[in-house]
Amino acid sequence: MSALNTITEAPLDEPRQWLTLVGRKKVLAVVHTITYAKRLLDVLSLLAADFRLQVAFTAPPHVFGDEVPRFLQELGSPVLPWAEATRMTFDLAVAAGPRGVEQVRAPLITMPHGANYLKRLPGAPDAGVAGLRRRDLMPGGKPPAAVVVPHHADLRELGRHCPEALQLAHVVGDPAHDRIAASLSRRAAYRRALGLADGERLVLAVSTWGPHSFFGRFETMLPRMIGELPSGRYRTAVLVHPNVWSGHGPWQVKAWLAWCGQLGVSVVPPEADWRTMLIAADYIVGDHGSVTLYGTLTGVPILLTGSPEPEINPDSPAATLAVTAPALSPAHPLPEQLAYAAAEYRPEEYAAIAARITSEPGRFHRNMRRLMYRLMGLGQPAHEPRALPLPDPPSLRTWTSDPSPWACASGRGASDRGEASA
């Protein structure tokens, strides 16, 4: 039994021998997947340096959750078994996914784990927009204390899909958007940290997960990217959604991509902070996932590898991006397509798409902290919460030049885990 659990459940004459600070407000982070964990770390950073609070983590069962216990252990965080966490009472809980959260005994804040609400789930028994279905917003029929959304336009969709959730909704913004925006001025520093030479262009291949993702085309597209983009002028890095790693298993993904390191392609591990990679890139070749959409903030050309219409929410900025960015062609040389994307790039068009990510740009940290402290019944710390620039990434060689054929996706350190994301 954990010391934190002892504080809650044991007689008052026992627990004080275990902890130094007692009588704290208790906050629970409900972490289903690594993607959710990264999202929540930005939120939990708002509670830093407050001695009135004790934060604990728990990991509910999830199909993509196998790597979560190790991720949390490496954070050095107190981790409660799910069965224990659901027997305890907390002063606040935060979650970026719905599964099982109705069992949590706390005022609960739910939030999206990616950019807006991009994906539909066609053909599923509970088809709809992921994150906006009633089962997502009120799992088990139990309403949370607050539903956090990034944009005022999302309220219209919320009212259409689950009108009961409207009275619980708070428009607070998007943490990944604000951290990226705060870090854009450090692009040159990130490129130096990655080891990119002057004039060398970084092509970032980005894949979400699922049958229609870019990952399904890696077998044919990555060899093209390597063969057609001259070394010395181009560097290629691959960024694959953590759900691909969790769904197929890290060993299998490494086995599929084992040749990458031998040919100079950097495979970014799922623990790494993808946002610095996005900022450092010169070209983004991606699909209909959140990371590609966040690429609209960076001011670089985007080539879309596919836009499966049934999977894209037509009211989302991903739908606008799908008809704005040029589509990757199998019939033309890649350097020519990258040059075309750069020539046709119109900053104002992509800025309009990026503006749909959040209607509270730069204000997520302020809005979210106010909401959390209000629900805990505490006054906020007397300092302005700000979106800080992201730390430098490790060198691309960390994810490239390992002699072992199974290690092209290895090499994670403290800066890999970084803070957050998407």
Side-chain angles (χ1 to χ4, degrees), residues 344-367:
E344 293 296 310
Y345 183 82
R346 300 291 181 268
E348 65 279 5
E349 294 180 339
Y350 289 84
I353 297 170
R356 179 59 180 81
I357 296 174
T358 172
S359 58
E360 293 288 308
R363 294 186 290 274
F364 173 86
H365 293 73
R366 182 196 68 181
N367 295 339

Side-chain angles (χ1 to χ4, degrees), residues 95-373:
R99 193 162 302 185
V101 297
E102 72 276 8
Q103 301 176 53
V104 173
R105 302 178 184 180
L108 174 68
I109 299 175
T110 64
M111 61 185 299
H113 62 267
N116 298 97
Y117 303 94
L118 306 185
K119 292 185 180 180
R120 291 190 293 188
L121 302 169
D126 52 351
V129 176
L132 290 177
R133 299 171 300 173
R134 191 176 189 279
R135 62 169 291 182
D136 298 328
L137 296 162
M138 296 190 175
K142 179 182 176 182
V147 175
V148 162
V149 299
H151 200 286
H152 286 286
D154 297 321
L155 297 177
R156 294 193 297 270
E157 290 198 67
L158 199 64
R160 188 162 63 248
H161 293 278
C162 185
E164 313 97 290
L166 263 180
Q167 61 183 344
L168 309 172
H170 299 260
V171 181
V172 302
D174 183 291
H177 172 285
D178 290 359
R179 293 297 300 278
I180 291 171
S183 305
L184 289 173
S185 63
R186 301 202 70 244
R187 182 175 189 269
Y190 297 152
R191 290 176 62 83
R192 285 193 300 270
L194 289 168
L196 294 167
D198 291 343
E200 197 171 28
R201 300 169 185 175
L202 176 61
V203 180
L204 187 62
V206 175
S207 177
T208 187
W209 67 282
H212 300 290
S213 69
F214 185 20
F215 191 77
R217 300 174 62 188
F218 270 18
E219 187 176 9
T220 56
M221 283 307 306
L222 286 186
R224 281 194 63 194
M225 295 178 75
I226 296 166
E228 297 183 26
L229 301 177
S231 62
R233 289 179 55 199
Y234 293 92
R235 291 280 292 276
T236 302
V238 172
L239 189 61
V240 178
H241 196 288
N243 285 2
V244 177
W245 294 85
S246 296
H248 293 281
W251 184 91
Q252 182 62 76
V253 176
K254 292 177 186 179
W256 280 328
L257 302 178
W259 50 273
C260 290
Q262 301 168 21
L263 297 177
V265 176
S266 300
V267 180
V268 183
E271 297 89 349
D273 196 323
W274 52 269
R275 297 169 297 185
T276 51
M277 297 295 299
L278 203 65
I279 293 168
D282 295 283
Y283 301 97
I284 298 166
V285 182
D287 53 22
H288 57 295
S290 289
V291 175
T292 306
L293 181 62
Y294 284 122
T296 59
L297 293 166
T298 65
V300 302
I302 296 173
L303 271 176
L304 287 181
T305 62
S307 302
E309 185 176 348
E311 282 194 7
I312 298 178
N313 175 7
D315 297 313
S316 73
T320 308
L321 181 62
V323 298
T324 303
L328 187 65
S329 168
H332 298 277
L334 278 174
E336 291 182 10
Q337 295 189 63
L338 295 177
Y340 175 84
E344 293 296 310
Y345 183 82
R346 300 291 181 268
E348 65 279 5
E349 294 180 339
Y350 289 84
I353 297 170
R356 179 59 180 81
I357 296 174
T358 172
S359 58
E360 293 288 308
R363 294 186 290 274
F364 173 86
H365 293 73
R366 182 196 68 181
N367 295 339
M368 189 69 176
R369 193 181 74 171
R370 180 190 299 121
L371 174 61
M372 289 194 293
Y373 275 85

